[in-house]
Amino acid sequence: MMTPAPIPSSHASPAPRRRIYHNLTFRVLTAICIGALIGAIKPEWGVALKPLGDGFIRLVKMVVTPIIFLTVVVGIASLGNMARAGGLALRALGYFAAATTVALGLGLLAGNLIQPGSGFSGTPSASAAEAAKAKIADAGAAGHGVVGFITNDLLPTSFVQPFVDNEVLKVLV
């Protein structure tokens, strides 16, 4: 009597599909809809839930800089040779330029079509005006131009300072 040949692994039955409620995108969109419903139906509940949202935002901010740092370090370490690194840098620069151009175009289009702030005629309070003047004076005293930007805004004072201050640009530098 002959036994049938085993089915090759390439013809094995597909893995069972995951339920949609296990999908992270579905969960996030559901949470957004629930939050909008709470805000529309019971706004006082939305105000009471504000600390929960604030805490979540703080937790996300806490992990962003280490994740970016580790992503860049692992990416550079896995490149292997400098030719691949140069190609990757060129592609990243191209993507950055394209995304910036699209974002600026959309911003200009939205600003010209919607004209935000066109009907606003308010004046700042005295304390806000003084705070703005002090901030401008501090910026002028710190130095401006290319050298001031590099020394004050790009270069960190220590290795851990950008992580503590949550400054992504300094982490990347």
Side-chain angles (χ1 to χ4, degrees):
M1 197 158 107
M2 296 184 79
T3 59
I7 299 173
S9 62
S10 63
H11 297 299
S13 63
R17 290 181 51 106
R18 292 181 65 187
R19 303 276 186 222
I20 190 153
Y21 51 83
H22 289 292
N23 187 335
L24 181 61
T25 304
F26 176 78
R27 289 179 177 185
V28 169
L29 292 175
T30 303
I32 290 171
C33 291
I34 291 170
L37 284 174
I38 288 174
I41 296 171
K42 291 276 194 177
E44 62 274 2
W45 287 8
V47 172
L49 290 172
K50 186 178 183 321
L52 185 65
D54 292 344
F56 177 75
I57 296 298
R58 291 179 73 114
L59 289 172
V60 168
K61 283 182 175 181
M62 178 184 72
V63 298
V64 165
T65 50
I67 287 174
I68 289 174
F69 175 75
L70 292 174
T71 302
V72 170
V73 167
V74 168
I76 291 171
S78 66
L79 284 175
N81 60 15
M82 291 307 291
R84 288 180 61 192
L88 181 65
L90 201 57
R91 266 185 300 177
L93 191 59
Y95 290 143
F96 176 76
T100 302
T101 304
V102 169
L104 286 172
L106 289 175
L108 286 170
L109 184 67
N112 286 323
L113 291 178
I114 299 171
Q115 297 180 349
S118 61
F120 183 74
S121 61
T123 57
S125 65
S127 61
E130 290 299 320
K133 287 179 186 176
K135 189 173 183 179
I136 291 171
D138 288 344
H144 51 81
V146 175
V147 175
F149 174 73
I150 290 172
T151 57
N152 298 328
D153 297 330
L154 282 184
L155 298 177
T157 56
S158 71
F159 179 75
V160 295
Q161 179 254 335
F163 293 98
V164 173
D165 294 341
N166 204 14
E167 296 184 24
V168 176
L169 183 61
K170 288 184 179 182
V171 167
L172 291 176
V173 170

